[in-house]
Amino acid sequence: MDDRSKFDNRLKSEYDPQLPRAQANRAALTALMAELRGEEVAMRLGGGEKAAEAQHCKGRLTVRERLGLLLDEGTDFLELGLWAARGMYEEYGGAPAAGVVTGLGRVSGRLCMIVANDATVKAGAFFPMTAKKVLRAQTIAMENRIPTLYLVDSAGVFLPLQEDVFPDIDDFGRIFRNNAVMSAMGIPQITAIMGMCVAGGAYLPVMTDTVLMTEGSGLFLAGPSLVQAAIGQKTDPEELGGAAMHAEISGTVDFKEPNDHLCLARMQSLVAKMGKRPESSCAKEAFRRRPFDAKQDAPKYAAEDLYGLIDPAPGATNVYEMREVIARVADRSEFDEYKAEFGRTVLCGYAWIGGHAVGIVANQKTNQNQVVAAGPAAGAKRIEVGGVIYTEAAQKAARFIMDCNQNLVPLIFLHDVNGFMVGKDAEWSGIIRAGAKMVTAVSTSVVPKIVVIVGGSFGAGHYAMCGKAYDPRFLFAWPTARYAVMSGASAAATLAEVRARQMERSGKKLSDTERAAIFEEVRATYDAQADARYGAARLWIDAIIDPVKTREVLIAALDACALNPEVLRFNPGILQT
C-alpha cells in the first residue's frame, strides 16, 4: 500500500494570540518598534534639514534622494549598518549612520551592493566606524560576488580621529585594497563622483572599473589650500581636479555628466549592460532552488504572530516554542526535523525559504524531557532548560551542520541561547568535547551561513550558533535581541559581589541597600550594552529587523548568497569524538 499521500511535514501551530501573555508581549514589542522606528527616521535625516539645504544649494541631491533615483522603482532596499555609530562621537556632534549608507538594492534588475557617502554628515568625512561600515559592505560583496556601486561625496578622513581611521588592517586603507581584490575576483565596481573626493579617498573611484563624475565635483589628492601650503602653487578647484580636467586632460574619468540626475541615469544604463560570468557545470547550481510562488508558498501562519512570542524587557524569562518562528518563516510552514527526539534544546532541520533549500539550527526555548545519553546519570530522564545547549544537542547540531556542508545546503541560525550546560553531570558527559565539536563544525563550514538573533545570544553559545566571529554572510537581530558574554543579571550578581568584597576589605561594611544599589548599577550598564542597538552601533549586527519582516529579509540574503556558486571543499579537520 502506498502511504505517501499521508506524508505531512507542515508544522502545527498552537500559538494563541488571545492569551494575556501574548497580548502583553505584543504591546511591549509594538512600543519598542515604535521607539526604534523613531530613531531610524532621525538617523536617515543625516546631518539634518540645514545640511540638506546646503547640499541643494550646491546643485546636489542628498544621499537618500540619490538612492531614490538609482534604485528600481517598487523594489525594496535592504539597508545594512543603519545604526552604525549610534551614540558615538558625541563630542563632535555625532555621526548618524556613520555618514554613509550601505545596503542591497536592485538597479536595472540587477542586485547590487550600494555604498553612498552622506555629505550632510561632516561633509561625508570618514570616522572610524565609517571605514568599518564600508569594509563590511565590501566583505559582503566579496563573499557573495555582488556588483558594487559607490556614490562618492566625501571630504576624506575626519582629521581629529585620524589615528583611529588611517593605519590598521580594518581601517581606511583596507577599502582601496578591497577595491583591487574585488576587481581581481571579477566583481564589477562602478563609482559616481558626485561631490568632493579628496586625499586618500581619491583612490577609491580610480581603483574601481568605471568612473563617472558630475560637473562641479572635485577629485584630487590634495585640495587647493594644501597644494599652496605644500608647494606654493595657487590654483582653483576646477583647474586642479574638476570634471572637465579629468575628462579632457588627465583621462581619469570615463563619463562626465552635467548633474546628479543624469549621472545616476548613466549608472543605471551601465549596470543594465553588465553580463554574468560563465559558471562551470559543477558550480552552476551549487545550492538547490525550486520555483517559488509568493502566494502559494507563503507560510500557513501570520508573521504578525511573532510579536506575541517574546517579552522584550531586559532580563525577562521567555519560554516559547521556536517551531512557531520556523512555521512563520519557512515556505508553506514545512520543516523536515532532524533527530527530533534527541538533543531537544537545539532544533535542526531542512526547509525551503523563498524557494531556497536551507538547513535551520535553532535554540528551543521550552523546557524539555530528555533521556540522558552519557555521564553518571546515563539512561535517566531529566528536565532540560530551554535555551541551554546540552551535550546531546551539541552533538546533534555538529552532525547536522556537517550534513548540510556535505549536501551543499545553506544554513540559517536562529539564536535564543543562554550558553552551554555546566555542572558535574554536564562535565562528565563531555560537554566541553561536544561543544568543541559544534564550534569546529561551524568554523569549518563552507556553505553560506545567515544568523538571526531572536532573543538572547550569550557566551560560548553565541559562538557555537555562528556568532560574528564565525563568518556569517549576514547577521540580523530582532529588537528583542540581547547580545553579551552573559545576561545582565548574571553579570551584575558576579561583579557586584566582587566590588562589595573589595570595599569590605578596605574596611567599609555594606548594608543590604548598598549591595542592592551596586547590583542595580552594574545590571543597568550591562543591560544597556547587551541591547541590540548597542551592538548594531558597533557593526556587530548588520541590521535590526522587524520580526514581521524576518522571512523577506532572509529571502533577500539568500538571493545574495546564491550569486556566488563557488564552494570550497569541506574539511572539518580533527573533531573531538
Side-chain angles (χ1 to χ4, degrees), residues 342 370-380 382 384 388-395 420-437 576-577:
F342 182 73
Q370 179 73 60
V371 176
V372 182
R382 67 178 174 223
E384 295 184 341
V388 176
I389 302 176
Y390 291 77
T391 299
E392 296 83 2
Q395 291 171 339
F420 286 93
M421 189 57 188
V422 297
K424 185 175 75 172
D425 287 348
E427 298 294 356
W428 283 34
S429 72
I431 186 65
I432 298 176
R433 187 174 70 247
K437 187 184 299 184
Q576 290 285 345
T577 57

Side-chain angles (χ1 to χ4, degrees), residues 539-553:
L539 294 175
W540 305 338
I541 294 165
D542 290 318
I544 300 174
I545 62 173
D546 186 335
V548 170
K549 302 289 187 183
T550 303
R551 174 175 163 82
E552 62 187 68
V553 168

Side-chain angles (χ1 to χ4, degrees), residues 3 6 10 63 77 81 105 133 135 152 155 190 217 224 241 243 283 318 354 373 399 418 430 452 466 491 508 530 557:
D3 287 337
K6 296 180 181 179
R10 288 175 297 179
V63 66
F77 177 59
K133 183 171 173 177
L135 290 172
V152 175
I190 302 177
S217 295
N318 284 298
R399 172 60 187 273
N418 295 34
V452 180
C466 193
K508 179 176 174 57

Side-chain angles (χ1 to χ4, degrees), residues 100-368:
V100 64
V101 178
T102 62
L104 295 174
R106 293 200 175 270
V107 177
S108 298
R110 190 75 177 267
L111 185 65
C112 295
M113 174 63 74
I114 314 292
V115 179
N117 298 116
D118 185 349
T120 70
V121 179
K122 301 293 188 296
F126 273 70
F127 286 77
M129 291 307 301
T130 314
K132 288 174 175 55
K133 183 171 173 177
V134 174
L135 290 172
R136 176 60 181 156
Q138 289 181 319
T139 298
I140 291 171
M142 285 189 282
E143 289 178 337
N144 300 291
R145 307 295 194 270
I146 307 172
T148 303
L149 309 179
Y150 303 90
L151 308 184
V152 175
D153 193 348
S154 171
V157 168
F158 186 67
L159 292 178
L161 295 174
Q162 66 84 26
E163 65 183 85
D164 298 318
V165 182
F166 172 69
D168 212 343
I169 191 171
D170 59 348
D171 287 339
F172 194 52
R174 187 78 171 183
I175 294 171
F176 318 131
R177 174 265 185 195
N178 285 353
N179 289 139
V181 170
M182 290 167 71
S183 184
M185 293 170 67
I187 300 171
Q189 299 174 88
I190 302 177
T191 299
I193 302 169
M194 312 178 81
M196 289 298 103
C197 187
V198 185
Y203 284 109
L204 184 151
V206 183
M207 296 191 73
T208 62
D209 306 333
T210 307
V211 183
L212 294 71
M213 189 172 181
T214 59
E215 294 177 5
S217 295
L219 171 65
F220 22 68
L221 287 179
S225 298
L226 185 55
V227 167
Q228 185 173 355
I231 63 174
Q233 186 181 76
K234 292 184 178 182
T235 181
D236 63 69
E238 183 62 32
E239 182 184 18
L240 180 65
M245 190 284 290
H246 281 301
E248 300 170 17
I249 299 174
S250 76
T252 304
V253 170
D254 302 312
F255 296 90
K256 182 186 74 171
E257 305 298 340
N259 53 47
D260 285 9
H261 293 80
L262 295 176
C263 186
L264 294 167
R266 179 77 71 183
M267 181 174 272
Q268 290 171 322
S269 179
L270 295 173
V271 172
K273 296 174 180 66
M274 284 181 183
K276 292 186 179 180
R277 292 186 174 276
E279 301 158 344
S280 64
S281 58
C282 63
K284 190 172 183 179
E285 291 186 356
F287 310 119
R288 187 76 174 90
R289 300 181 74 174
R290 69 179 185 183
F292 167 68
D293 183 278
K295 289 186 177 179
Q296 291 185 2
D297 294 319
K300 300 302 179 185
Y301 310 105
E304 289 74 15
D305 293 342
L306 297 174
Y307 268 43
L309 288 180
I310 299 180
D311 181 351
T317 301
N318 284 298
V319 178
Y320 63 93
E321 173 59 71
M322 184 61 86
R323 293 183 186 88
E324 299 285 4
V325 177
I326 298 171
R328 288 157 180 81
V329 169
D331 292 0
R332 303 188 182 196
S333 300
E334 295 173 348
F335 184 57
D336 296 311
E337 188 166 352
Y338 175 86
K339 294 185 186 289
E341 289 78 31
F342 182 73
R344 300 185 186 198
T345 60
V346 174
L347 302 176
C348 299
Y350 300 97
W352 301 93
I353 297 180
H356 298 270
V358 299
I360 296 175
V361 180
N363 304 112
Q364 174 60 290
K365 287 297 290 182
T366 60
N367 298 332
Q368 299 288 314

